[in-house]
Amino acid sequence: MLTKFESKSNRVKGLAFHPQRPWILTSLHNGVIQLWDYRMGTLLERFDEHDGPVRGIDFHHVQPLLVSGGDDYRIKVWDYKLRRCLFTLLGHLDYIRTVNFHGEYPWVVSASDDQTIRIWNWQSRSCVSVLTGHNHYVMCASFHPKDDLIVSASLDQTVRVWDITGLRKKTVRGPPVAIGTHITSSSLQEIGASSTSASSVVSRVNADLFGGNDAIVKYVLEGHDRGVNWASFHPTLPLVISGADDRQVKLWRMNETKAWEVDTMRGHSNNVSCVVFHPKHELIVSNSEDRSIRVWDISKRLGVQTFRRENDRFWILAAHPVQNLLAAGHDSGMIVFKLERERPAFGSHLDTLFYVKDRYLRIHEYSPRRDLPMLSLRRPTGHAQNGVCAGPRSLEYNTMNPSEHNVILFSQQDGGSFELLVFPGDVIASNQQGESSDPKRGLALSAVFLSRNRFAVLDKNRQIIIKDLNNEKRKSVPPPNPSTDCMFFAGTSGRLLLRTDDRVMLFEPQSRRVLAELQVARIKYVIWNQDCSRVALLSKHGITIASRDLEQLCSVTETVRVKGGGWDDRIFLYTTLNHVKYCLTNGDTGIIRTLDVPVYITRANQKQLYCLDRELKHCILSVDNTEAVFKLALEDKNYLEVMNMIKHSKLCGKAIIVYLQEKGYPEVALHFVDDLQTRFKLALACGNIEVAMNTAYEIGDDECWHRLGMEALRQGNHQVVEMSYQRTKNFERLSFLYLLTGNIEKLRKMLKIAEMRRDIMGRFHNSLFLGDATERTRVLEEAGQSPLAYVTAVSHGMLEEAGRIKELLQSAGRPIPIVLHNSQLMQPPTPILRSDNWPLLAIPKSTFRNSYEDQSEHDDTVDNTSSPGWDADLDLDDVKVDEVEAESDEVGGWGEDLDIDDAANEDADYASSNLKADEAVSRTYIVPVAGICPENRWCKNSAHAADHAAAGSFGSSMNYLNRQISIVNFSPMRGRFLVLHAASKSSVPGLPLSSSYGIAMLRDGNVANGSCFPRIANSMPQLIDALRNSYRLFQKGNFQASRERFHHILRCIPLIIAESRSHANEVRELMDITREYVTAIRLKHANAIEKGVRQMELSAYFTHCNLQPAHLALALNLAMTQAYKGGNFITAASFARRLLDLPDSSAQGKSELHNKAQTVLQKSEQKARNEFKLNYDERNPFEINCKSLDPIYRGSQLERCSFCKSAYTNSMKGHICSTCNIALIGIETLGLVTQTQVKGHYN
């Protein structure tokens, strides 16, 4: 059994598959109907209107309808798109057992404990026929897939087959409704009228009580000794299967005149609940209350497989109408499963595909599209051994032997077996069926080719056996890991890929060495590219791309199962259950197309995918991989190809725009955007003021103009800033802009505008900017601030105005303000530059922009000065202001570049001057200029402390760590610095009588273009292993050793380099985990020393550390025990409840803690008091003060460590953190840097 989906719920009494979608309905004993997506494993909808158990459920074949019947005597028809019940059918007088839609007509058949079977018209919502004849509960009833028949089973020990031809002729007018045709109101009335046209009310009542002659009993099948629980038709053959309480499964055959029993299958030890025919194979599947599912072979009438559950009885079975899927409902949920794998066994080499079909090894040639059988296989590939799963599971082709064809077929028979086939190499060219030498067979867990004439076998003792093509043992090698359970081809001769539970190893049997190792989820398939330089490792839900030496390049995780894949040059194409996707070696992925059914890629060639489906039919899928090729060209910086694809391809969508933004190419994304808002944002992101301004004109939104003004101000483009402020009527910012640029004339106009707008503050500010004391005095007087107006007049020497205001103050009886004699005249600041726009730096155009705009070769700068002729008027209603002319004087650049690391370019400048001298004086010998050593290059190109430490520049590395995360105590990190420096170099022997050569160990890039960086000894897999070891030590109670391991992780984290943003998030998550465990260990150590109340408080704080569930259970147990022994029973009860609420707290192995917690909870609830008052409030969230180990409750002021983010009180600011012991507390810094920040390349 291959379980595809499993759900946990109340007892499942009914099941139904959707004909097209990956949905399944379950009806539960508690009255709930659940709609599941078994492919994604998600619950889509719940329907809960029945009162009592729901025993019958079914999907309509075409319409978005489902029908249900329950113990409330009601049949409900639902629309799952509208998510509501459409109507209810009433008529049954007892429990309804099953309901079933007809495949063509608008009928529903229902079986009930009232001993009747009813046929309903769901369009007219009426009962069209009542079938009577059973004298006990009718347990099930269903339509025949094609004929006018109904089969029913009853506890009266009979199975009845009913002929409903008369009903069809009576009620159905014309042909049935075609598939996909929607029901109209006129057709509904017509069918409803015809179905309810009974001659009279009396005849309708008689038909309800005694049954009419529309449906007659065709056969009565008697043979069971007890009540029959289920009966069903075969989809194509005239067969009926039944299961009963006599624990027997009976097979019946029928013809036009009679029906008879064919055979009886015995094996169940309790009542048979349900029995169905397999949708694809000649098998019968039955389940029973004996907690088993049994599979029977129809031809042999023997049981071939049995699946059991320990505690759950089975009640219902369902078979998918078109797929190889079954579902079974039991006491605690349901399972969706298959009886066998449907993946074909195939292997591809060059232009040829080898695969197994119909007991033949077949060969398919791609180019001539020729398919022919090559070898007849002795072992059948279908249902041979007991009828299920006897075909080969995988096919391995020997690509290293050009002289002949070697194929290994591996199957699961006898616990694992292989078959070696050898046939001449000219068989394909002769187009004739070949004959293999005597096939070589053997038992093994895995078999794979090792070289031209050798293959390796992993026997059942987990030993690697090297054999020749005669199946003779040549060598035996133990695997490096005893848990090795599978082997794969390693891409080259003499190597093997060995799989364990959580990793893959590259193993060389000759030297018995592990060449490389990669931690990856349990892989199922390995796919190499054409030259075996890249490999894709496929697991159930993930893909890992690695190099030939097993260096991981990227990893992709899927939510659905990965089915297969193939390489198209540097693009890996793969299929899931419903999509064809691509993956690049840098981790970029995308969807190419959707799939109706799963397929398996055998070859990828440009825009075509050659595939095999589950029926072993060849198909060619057309795919458009333009998006993948575009991303590949962008990664390679092939801008000419990028430009060509932008002009001619149809790349579009938000995904490609977001991708270009993330990769730092907003100017490229600008060419794909039609949406104005998105175009505006991208133009701002790449600093293209002109495009942003044109887009803002089209949008006409004040918010866009405001953002445009901010960006233009950042670039010093005053004209655009002025226009933006005018558009948004932001007068205050506009006045300040004129002040900065020294535009006195426009400031005076702003003063007039403020006066017309009666804006007192605007007038005052503008007069202040202009240095107009008279206007300020007038504004203050008009605003009622006469004392301030008097002070302003006196301070600025306006004696007449001051005298007038003084008389007004005296007449009003107000005091005269005292004016200081040392007051000075306030004048506005003098602007630094009075030009229209600030001078802009002349920056080189990007390669992409040069290619796209197709300008001349000599045009290598961008002129960011704005064009003349902008209208600078303030567009104010009823305000006549002189037109403000926008000046557009062309302002050149400053004439020099930024003074950033000028010394770094001295060597290049000197080399350039020497080259010119060499051209002038060709005969003069010029001494070559020394290049830059790798260590200096690392320091200049990287802003990460780890790269500086690897280069041996410990001082700059410490400076970076001090500035970024405020580390001041570097003594604990001394060892890590030395390890990084030692690991960044290796040496090789030199020539005789010469010293050895030092070689820098690089992690990526190319020395030639200056993008190289050193290989860092610290890595996330190492820290994850250290974390696991720390967990084990913590679990065992070895807290001192565990604390040392956690401190080691903390000190490695600042010197680790993440490859991507997701890896950076993992580093930060690792730091949070480590901090919590260090704090928890400190609390445990203090708890062991303290006594009494303090001990109970520390154990309570211990439980609020963010620990793993198993470790948290131990902490809660400690706190519960100490609180109970100390007499704080209320506190002990809260810990006991938290312990019981943990997941799997009652699982096997934790029952002791579970029982102890229940006992403590029970006794604590009886005593219900606390002896001591603790400084602990579990309802008020808090953080632990890592200095005093006391709580800091929410709302209190706190400071954090600049590195590990441990919490402290404000008094600890400036002290060294007690958790990490290396960084200061409360210092505002940039934060932890986990990715290499490239400063620039220097060649």
Side-chain angles (χ1 to χ4, degrees), residues 623-767:
V623 295
D624 184 4
N625 59 354
T626 307
E627 181 180 324
V629 175
F630 176 81
K631 292 181 178 180
L632 209 57
L634 202 62
E635 181 188 2
D636 296 339
K637 294 183 173 53
N638 188 352
Y639 296 112
L640 291 176
E641 184 175 356
V642 170
M643 178 197 67
N644 185 55
M645 296 180 71
I646 290 174
K647 290 181 177 179
H648 300 97
S649 65
K650 296 182 179 179
L651 286 171
C652 60
K654 292 184 178 179
I656 195 70
I657 296 170
V658 172
Y659 173 82
L660 290 168
Q661 284 185 280
E662 291 177 351
K663 295 296 182 180
Y665 296 99
E667 70 275 9
V668 182
L670 205 56
H671 297 279
F672 292 96
V673 182
D674 294 326
D675 180 68
L676 294 178
Q677 290 286 353
T678 308
R679 186 176 180 82
F680 178 77
K681 294 177 182 178
L682 288 173
L684 290 184
C686 61
N688 195 328
I689 295 297
E690 183 178 356
V691 175
M693 185 184 64
N694 293 333
T695 309
Y697 270 119
E698 297 183 43
I699 296 175
D701 184 21
D702 288 350
E703 178 64 24
C704 293
W705 283 106
H706 175 69
R707 294 176 59 187
L708 176 62
M710 293 177 62
E711 177 63 23
L713 186 62
R714 189 185 67 84
Q715 295 187 13
N717 196 328
H718 296 160
Q719 293 182 349
V720 178
V721 177
E722 182 182 2
M723 172 173 287
S724 301
Y725 291 165
Q726 290 177 0
R727 286 277 179 175
T728 57
K729 299 182 180 179
N730 196 332
F731 299 106
E732 293 181 2
R733 290 176 181 264
L734 193 58
S735 297
F736 195 72
L737 175 68
Y738 292 149
L739 172 65
L740 292 178
T741 57
N743 198 330
I744 303 301
E745 181 182 353
K746 292 186 178 180
L747 266 177
R748 290 194 179 96
K749 291 184 179 180
M750 293 302 299
L751 179 61
K752 293 180 182 179
I753 292 173
E755 187 175 356
M756 294 178 182
R757 294 177 60 243
R758 299 179 182 179
D759 183 4
I760 295 295
M761 289 302 299
R763 288 177 60 191
F764 184 79
H765 286 157
N766 283 293
S767 62

Side-chain angles (χ1 to χ4, degrees), residues 997-1018:
Y997 294 98
I999 298 178
M1001 305 297 293
L1002 305 180
R1003 69 174 181 265
D1004 56 9
N1006 190 336
V1007 179
N1009 60 21
S1011 62
C1012 59
F1013 293 103
R1015 184 180 294 276
I1016 303 302
N1018 295 336

Side-chain angles (χ1 to χ4, degrees), residues 11-13 230 273-274 287-289 312-317 328-331:
R11 179 185 300 170
V12 175
K13 300 297 290 183
W230 201 267
S273 305
C274 188
N287 64 7
S288 166
E289 296 180 39
D312 298 320
R313 296 168 295 175
F314 286 100
W315 297 101
I316 188 67
L317 277 171
H330 51 77
D331 284 334

